[in-house]
């Protein structure tokens, strides 16, 4: 069981805005940066958000990240069929001295 | 072009050992902290461990499930990262990815290899 908790699934229709939550604790999200990854079937993960809310070059501004206290969220606006993927949050944990990944959220575009 | 190419995966019996390699190119390997992440079939991502640069002490950190069994090392002269896996268990079956985050003044880019599959089974 992951220490970072994500909903196992989320869904939306094209054009909609969806959010995916990631809940942690003071030793990880509460004091460390949060990262978000997108993983398409059969491929390696791709970094979407770093340092809570920064987008790497090439990531559309439809993707945005936020953090408040010990929780973080990934928002996807203008949902597209190609956004259908698994999404993972990640953060360092000072208590474990290790990096944690959330359990992942499977996003379905209806 | 940055490339990370893993190799060394395969089928091994429980209790056995395997050494994975990750050949890096397209960036200054000596300046990069490197990590291993694994993904069991149909499951989520799991961080395995990391190694810092020699200038940052070359120290390693490991996830609890692999601590004491796995060892991460690097050969900067060959731009290669290693993962020595001993006392393998069936639950170590997974795709193993080599990864690094390259940080510049304006952005961070995360690079991942294509992965190498490790199957632990009798």
């Amino acid at each position: 069981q992951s220490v970072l908790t994500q909903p196992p699934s989320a869904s939306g229709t094209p054009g909609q805005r969806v959010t995916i939550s990631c809940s942690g604790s003071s030793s990880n999200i509460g004091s460390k940066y949060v990262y978000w990854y997108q993983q398409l079937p059969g491929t390696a993960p791709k970094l979407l958000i770093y340092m809570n809310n920064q987008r790497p070059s090439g990531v559309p501004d439809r993707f945005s990240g936020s953090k408040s206290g010990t929780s973080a969220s990934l928002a996807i606006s203008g949902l597209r069929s190609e956004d259908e993927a698994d999404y993972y949050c990640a953060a360092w944990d000072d208590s474990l001295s290790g990096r944690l990944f959330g359990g992942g959220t499977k996003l379905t575009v209806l | 072009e940055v490339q990370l190419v893993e190799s060394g995966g395969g089928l091994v019996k429980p209790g056995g050992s395997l050494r994975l390699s990750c050949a890096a190119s397209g960036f200054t390997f000596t300046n990069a902290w490197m990590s291993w992440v694994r993904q069991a079939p149909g499951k989520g991502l799991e961080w395995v461990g990391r190694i810092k640069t020699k200038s940052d002490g070359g120290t390693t950190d490991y996830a609890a499930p692999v601590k004491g069994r796995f060892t991460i090392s690097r050969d900067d002269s060959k731009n290669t990262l290693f993962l020595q896996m001993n006392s393998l268990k069936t639950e170590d079956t997974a795709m193993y990815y080599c990864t690094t985050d390259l940080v510049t003044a304006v952005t961070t880019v995360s690079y991942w290899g294509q992965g190498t599959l490790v199957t632990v089974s009798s």
Side-chain angles (χ1 to χ4, degrees):
Chain A
Q1 187 174 355
S2 302
V3 178
L4 300 184
T5 302
Q6 297 180 235
S9 63
S11 63
T13 56
Q16 248 188 342
R17 182 178 188 270
V18 297
T19 61
I20 297 171
S21 62
C22 177
S23 177
S25 67
S26 58
S27 62
N28 43 68
I29 292 178
S31 56
K32 299 296 178 184
Y33 287 126
V34 178
Y35 297 73
W36 289 92
Y37 295 86
Q38 176 194 60
Q39 187 177 33
L40 299 170
T43 69
K46 169 189 173 183
L47 181 65
L48 283 181
I49 298 290
Y50 65 96
M51 290 173 62
N52 302 332
N53 55 18
Q54 301 299 302
R55 280 186 308 277
S57 302
V59 173
D61 59 7
R62 301 187 298 107
F63 294 90
S64 62
S66 63
K67 186 179 100 166
S68 178
T70 59
S71 293
S73 292
L74 172 71
I76 309 172
S77 60
L79 200 61
R80 298 183 176 185
S81 58
E82 57 259 39
D83 298 332
E84 192 161 282
D86 294 324
Y87 292 84
Y88 296 90
C89 60
W92 186 262
D93 188 289
D94 276 337
S95 296
L96 299 173
S97 292
R99 198 174 203 218
L100 296 174
F101 284 96
T105 298
K106 184 175 184 60
L107 175 64
T108 301
V109 181
L110 302 169
Chain B
E1 179 195 4
V2 171
Q3 278 199 310
L4 297 171
V5 180
E6 301 95 336
S7 61
L11 175 63
V12 61
K13 288 182 168 50
S17 297
L18 211 56
R19 189 195 200 202
L20 306 184
S21 299
C22 171
S25 60
F27 64 100
T28 306
F29 184 75
T30 53
N31 293 345
W33 291 20
M34 301 296 299
S35 299
W36 288 97
V37 173
R38 67 184 181 182
Q39 187 168 34
K43 302 296 184 183
L45 302 174
E46 181 182 24
W47 181 79
V48 172
R50 72 170 181 193
I51 185 167
K52 297 181 180 179
T53 61
K54 284 193 167 46
S55 62
D56 287 327
T59 55
T60 51
D61 294 288
Y62 299 95
V66 308
K67 201 167 187 177
R69 300 188 298 123
F70 289 13
T71 302
I72 298 174
S73 61
R74 62 191 300 158
D75 184 339
D76 288 349
S77 68
K78 296 181 179 177
N79 288 353
T80 303
L81 175 73
F82 300 102
L83 178 64
Q84 177 67 44
M85 303 185 294
N86 299 330
S87 303
L88 282 161
K89 306 175 181 180
T90 55
E91 52 263 42
D92 295 319
T93 294
M95 183 71 79
Y96 283 74
Y97 294 101
C98 160
T99 178
T100 187
D101 288 350
L102 300 185
V103 180
T104 71
V106 296
T107 192
T108 291
V109 183
S110 182
Y111 292 100
W112 296 62
Q114 84 289 350
T116 186
L117 183 62
V118 172
T119 303
V120 184
S121 174
S122 54

